[in-house]
Amino acid sequence: MEIALVEKNQYRFRIEQREPMRVPGVVFASRALLPQAAGDKALEQVANVATLPGIVRASFAMPDVHWGYGFPIGGVAATDISHGGVISPGGVGFDISCGVRLLAAGIDREALGRDRMRRLMDILDSTIPRGMGRGGLWKLSGAGEMDDLLVGGARYAVERGHGVPRDLARCEDYGVLDGAAPGQVSRRAVERGLHQVGSLGSGNHFLEVQAVDQVYDPATAAAFGLRVGQVCVMIHCGSRGLGHQVCTDHVRVMDQELHRYRIQVPDRQLACTPVDSPRGRAYLGAMAAAANYGRANRQLLSEATRHAFATAADVGLELVYDISHNTAKLETHEVDGVARSLCVHRKGATRALPPGDPGLPEDLVRAGQPVLVPGTMGTASYVMVGLPGNDAFHSACHGAGRVWSRHHALRMVRGERLRGELEARGIAVRPSSWRGLAEETPEAYKDVDTVAAVTEGAGLARLIVRLVPLGVVKG
DNA sequence: ATGTTC
């Protein structure tokens, strides 16, 4: 599909609607961030998504948008459930409920010091499971306990002693996505997940010890429990083999059944089905179950991190927030003056609720939702906050966004050398593989400082805190 | 992202 891009203002571009698009595309970016690199199909994917049955308002792209499976990563699309709106697994992503969690330590970087920091990194290195195919911290007893976890998410983990009730108040949806249907999760998916609860995985997943470097809004930072110099931990991971298998299973079936609903899509990777259909409900139930697995996973990793901090520095960690950036959620939004029940796909995009939103816990309702924006290895990360007037269904960016393929990164960078460069800059690195490290070189990503600034400029979210890395445990 | 090609 030919892309006709129109600059609406400095941070907002429009892909004009033309057949077979049902709505326009809206790309939040600066000229420098626009994905124009040769071979980058992200904007074409934004236009493809605009053809989905029932899509309303626009097919949106966040400033970190890049090429993905069917949908772009950094894409947001909402479909109207009562008007034939569809759900597409490709609009959620293979890593269902992949997300980020930020914990704040009761100590500043100066007080932590070099020796205790080294001890902390060594403990994390030896206790945080990570890498392709590796096992996790919590060996479930079997399919029965798995069902409890798939229904209960982080809440089930806390009930079993892995964390404290206050953690749940700082989790999106209080740690549990409603509507989980373990019966829609295949036996193979369950088997893959049984021994991976509490593991980072690989790719861009990480656990990073950080420090608050800048505070842009002290009042909101304080509401989030953050101050200058404070040590924090950011955890980025998802639903491992279980979520991957759920996506694979349901994409296959939807692909085979596209003709049943006479759905035409410009790319088979956009396989989808009406939300309000048996197959659509089946996927939503399986997706919610996988999402709860991802949330329990982050809860377990938090618990291990707390043990490491207690041992190395005798300090605690308070959860700031836990947010997914690969989900489809049933939400009510006003479209053309009418409140509509929508299925909001956010793939590589986080929810960003504004102050006053009823979805926020009591102690955050005045401040707004923390929006967690992880950078990449050796770069900054950000905490932002949701704003009123975000017409992308209250969504924001989820990170830096890839620009180099993994293959290209491997040709350009040696993992051993990259580790040396980062250590020379005072950033401790505990990799799981040299190859994985090389693939994640900071050069392979957009500049996260620019992405965060453009996200603010576009009115999607507002900057609250900048974090810098002290040590990274790499998946 | 992913028992990195059921």
Side-chain angles (χ1 to χ4, degrees):
Chain A
M1 204 183 303
E2 195 70 18
I3 301 301
L5 199 63
V6 178
E7 183 169 357
K8 302 302 283 186
N9 65 44
Q10 191 180 355
Y11 298 118
R12 188 177 178 116
F13 297 78
R14 184 180 175 93
I15 301 173
E16 293 298 333
Q17 179 185 344
R18 54 173 68 172
E19 288 297 322
M21 293 165 68
R22 297 168 191 261
V23 292
V26 171
V27 182
F28 298 103
S30 60
R31 286 199 160 272
L33 281 181
L34 275 179
Q36 290 169 329
D40 193 318
K41 302 283 190 189
L43 295 187
E44 192 175 323
Q45 292 187 316
V46 174
N48 288 346
V49 169
T51 69
L52 290 178
I55 187 169
V56 294
R57 196 174 288 167
S59 166
F60 291 97
M62 300 294 116
D64 52 336
V65 70
H66 57 112
W67 176 86
Y69 178 89
F71 279 57
I73 295 162
V76 176
T79 60
D80 188 334
I81 297 169
S82 62
H83 289 82
V86 293
I87 172 98
S88 174
V92 173
F94 274 85
D95 193 4
I96 294 165
S97 204
C98 180
V100 181
R101 154 179 296 226
L102 184 70
L103 301 131
I107 192 168
D108 289 358
R109 62 187 297 179
E110 285 75 20
L112 182 62
R114 289 179 64 94
D115 289 348
R116 285 196 289 186
M117 178 63 192
R118 179 181 295 274
R119 176 102 196 279
L120 174 65
M121 290 305 296
D122 288 342
I123 297 171
L124 291 170
D125 187 27
S126 63
T127 56
I128 299 297
R130 58 200 192 275
M132 171 68 67
R134 304 283 173 75
L137 296 160
W138 190 5
K139 315 294 182 197
L140 299 179
S141 59
E145 186 168 31
M146 177 63 92
D147 281 359
D148 292 340
L149 184 138
L150 295 178
V151 169
R155 186 180 65 205
Y156 177 68
V158 169
E159 284 168 2
R160 293 298 307 272
H162 305 295
V164 294
R166 186 202 172 271
D167 293 342
L168 300 177
R170 290 305 186 98
C171 290
E172 179 186 17
D173 312 313
Y174 299 93
V176 195
L177 194 54
D178 286 339
Q184 299 296 342
V185 178
S186 68
R187 180 189 297 256
R188 181 187 284 189
V190 169
E191 284 170 357
R192 289 180 67 172
L194 273 177
H195 302 293
Q196 292 188 321
V197 188
S199 64
L200 277 180
S202 62
N204 63 357
H205 292 165
F206 63 79
L207 184 154
E208 195 166 87
V209 181
Q210 306 173 334
V212 177
D213 176 56
Q214 284 189 61
V215 172
Y216 306 97
D217 174 351
T220 304
F224 291 171
L226 297 170
R227 60 174 189 274
V228 170
Q230 187 171 17
V231 172
C232 293
V233 175
M234 184 173 275
I235 299 171
H236 178 204
C237 65
S239 51
R240 307 289 279 109
L242 183 140
H244 189 273
Q245 191 64 46
V246 165
C247 183
T248 301
D249 294 340
H250 287 258
V251 161
R252 180 179 296 135
V253 175
M254 286 190 200
D255 180 66
Q256 290 165 353
E257 292 187 349
L258 271 174
H259 64 277
R260 172 178 298 184
Y261 299 101
R262 295 189 171 80
I263 294 172
Q264 293 195 342
V265 288
D267 176 356
R268 280 183 71 176
Q269 294 185 353
L270 292 175
C272 56
T273 200
V275 178
D276 193 12
S277 70
R279 188 64 64 195
R281 296 286 171 191
Y283 171 70
L284 273 175
M287 185 211 71
N292 287 334
Y293 185 96
R295 288 146 195 237
N297 189 23
R298 289 193 287 276
Q299 185 66 33
L300 264 289
L301 289 165
S302 307
E303 199 60 0
T305 306
R306 281 173 166 151
H307 285 303
F309 268 75
T311 305
D314 195 28
V315 294
L317 291 164
E318 296 275 311
L319 183 55
V320 175
Y321 207 64
D322 179 299
I323 184 84
S324 301
H325 49 234
N326 281 2
T327 58
K329 301 182 84 170
L330 306 183
E331 300 176 0
T332 302
H333 292 268
E334 195 172 297
V335 181
D336 300 330
V338 181
R340 296 175 192 267
S341 183
L342 305 178
C343 177
V344 183
H345 302 72
R346 294 188 184 87
K347 180 187 189 180
T350 86
R351 193 186 67 169
L353 297 178
D357 193 283
L360 290 166
E362 196 176 330
D363 61 344
L364 288 178
V365 74
R366 286 187 63 185
Q369 182 209 301
V371 174
L372 307 180
V373 183
T376 189
M377 224 170 10
T379 72
S381 294
Y382 288 86
V383 180
M384 304 182 76
V385 70
L387 285 174
N390 177 327
D391 66 347
F393 307 104
H394 295 303
S395 309
C397 66
H398 86 307
R402 216 167 230 290
V403 286
W404 285 2
S405 69
R406 295 189 176 276
H407 180 74
H408 184 67
L410 279 180
R411 286 205 324 229
M412 302 297 285
V413 174
R414 299 287 301 175
E416 294 89 331
R417 183 188 168 116
L418 174 58
R419 184 191 188 184
E421 290 169 358
L422 291 168
E423 295 270 357
R425 288 171 47 205
I427 302 168
V429 180
R430 300 291 190 272
S432 64
S433 78
W434 294 122
R435 176 182 171 165
L437 202 68
E439 288 178 350
E440 289 296 312
T441 180
E443 301 159 281
Y445 286 83
K446 297 180 189 184
D447 175 55
V448 70
D449 299 305
T450 304
V451 169
V454 169
T455 297
E456 180 172 78
L460 298 170
R462 192 163 54 84
L463 293 167
I464 301 302
V465 157
R466 183 175 191 263
L467 301 147
V468 293
L470 303 178
V472 56
V473 179
K474 199 69 193 76

